[in-house]
Amino acid sequence: MQVIKPTTWEEVFQSWRDNEAHNPGWIRCATEIKGWPDWESWRRYMAGKLKLEKKDWELYRFSNPLAEVSEMLVGPFTAWQKNLPVKNVLSFGEFLEVPEKYEQFSNHDTVRKMMDSMPFTSFMTGLIREDNRKLVCIEGHHRAAALALANKLGRKIDFGDEVLYISLSLLPKDELYLLDKALELGSEKPS
């Protein structure tokens, strides 16, 4: 990866908004499944649990998206961590080694469509764990799963002029507990 420039939380969140806020599936998830009044309330709640708005951010460009994203850790979200043998430690490559997850995501319509339409320019969000320097995916799980699946299947993708970016901030050692806490609390609207 190479650093491109410093950025702000509001610019990072705007990218997240651009990726999801107008998608009927994400709106339905926020309002009907999670109980929030709108997409933004739902995502800002989760961002708050991870203290994302208080962090310093930089925009990076992946140099080798298939390999680098496959090594990125699955983020602290119940839907993604469900039925994993260990929580908050598996990379997307390891995630797809779990037979149930491989079956689910190799047949997942959205993930398959993304994989089949690569390359395309995209922006993701993550954290860098201070303890082991691994990236944790915060936004972009379906794209990460598509890239990891393509990598697992041995697909060669020439990204050419298309660029995969990720906004990153450091998750200090004394805040690593936030990953487990976020997973434990989930993203449903508190009663």
Side-chain angles (χ1 to χ4, degrees):
M1 284 190 317
Q2 68 184 78
V3 68
I4 303 298
K5 64 174 186 164
T7 188
T8 66
W9 168 244
E10 284 309 316
E11 289 174 329
V12 172
F13 192 76
Q14 182 60 49
S15 175
W16 196 351
R17 184 185 291 118
D18 291 345
N19 285 334
E20 290 186 357
H22 302 291
N23 181 313
W26 286 121
I27 294 168
R28 180 182 165 278
C29 184
T31 57
E32 295 176 27
I33 297 171
K34 302 294 184 174
W36 292 95
D38 52 44
W39 175 90
E40 185 142 342
S41 300
W42 173 47
R43 288 310 200 187
R44 286 207 184 264
Y45 172 76
M46 192 66 186
K49 288 195 304 185
L50 294 168
K51 301 182 181 182
L52 301 181
E53 70 283 357
K54 297 177 182 175
K55 298 189 175 303
D56 294 323
W57 292 90
E58 289 186 312
L59 182 67
Y60 289 78
R61 175 185 180 156
F62 284 106
S63 303
N64 182 351
L66 290 175
E68 291 168 317
V69 172
S70 293
E71 291 299 315
M72 188 164 41
L73 304 181
V74 176
F77 302 99
T78 52
W80 287 91
Q81 296 285 338
K82 183 180 177 183
N83 299 326
L84 292 181
V86 288
K87 308 294 187 216
N88 287 328
V89 297
L90 295 183
S91 68
F92 280 92
E94 294 165 330
F95 174 86
L96 290 174
E97 293 300 320
V98 175
E100 174 186 327
K101 298 302 182 182
Y102 176 76
E103 179 69 24
Q104 177 184 356
F105 286 95
S106 64
N107 293 302
H108 191 285
D109 284 344
T110 300
V111 169
R112 293 296 301 199
K113 286 177 186 171
M114 285 179 177
M115 184 177 67
D116 292 341
S117 66
M118 289 179 183
F120 52 82
T121 296
S122 185
F123 291 82
M124 301 169 78
T125 305
L127 294 170
I128 305 168
R129 289 179 60 128
E130 185 179 37
D131 63 335
N132 59 19
R133 305 305 292 174
K134 292 188 177 184
L135 305 185
V136 178
C137 187
I138 299 302
E139 189 274 325
H141 280 72
H142 289 89
R143 283 166 281 152
L147 285 158
L149 182 60
N151 194 48
K152 181 174 177 60
L153 296 175
R155 290 214 181 163
K156 304 293 183 215
I157 299 173
D158 179 3
F159 283 83
D161 293 333
E162 301 298 332
V163 180
L164 182 58
Y165 296 99
I166 186 165
S167 295
L168 293 170
S169 184
L170 183 68
L171 182 63
K173 289 178 187 175
D174 65 350
E175 290 185 0
L176 291 174
Y177 75 94
L178 293 173
L179 297 173
D180 292 330
K181 184 101 173 141
L183 181 58
E184 175 189 328
L185 295 173
S187 63
E188 289 80 16
K189 186 169 192 245
S191 319

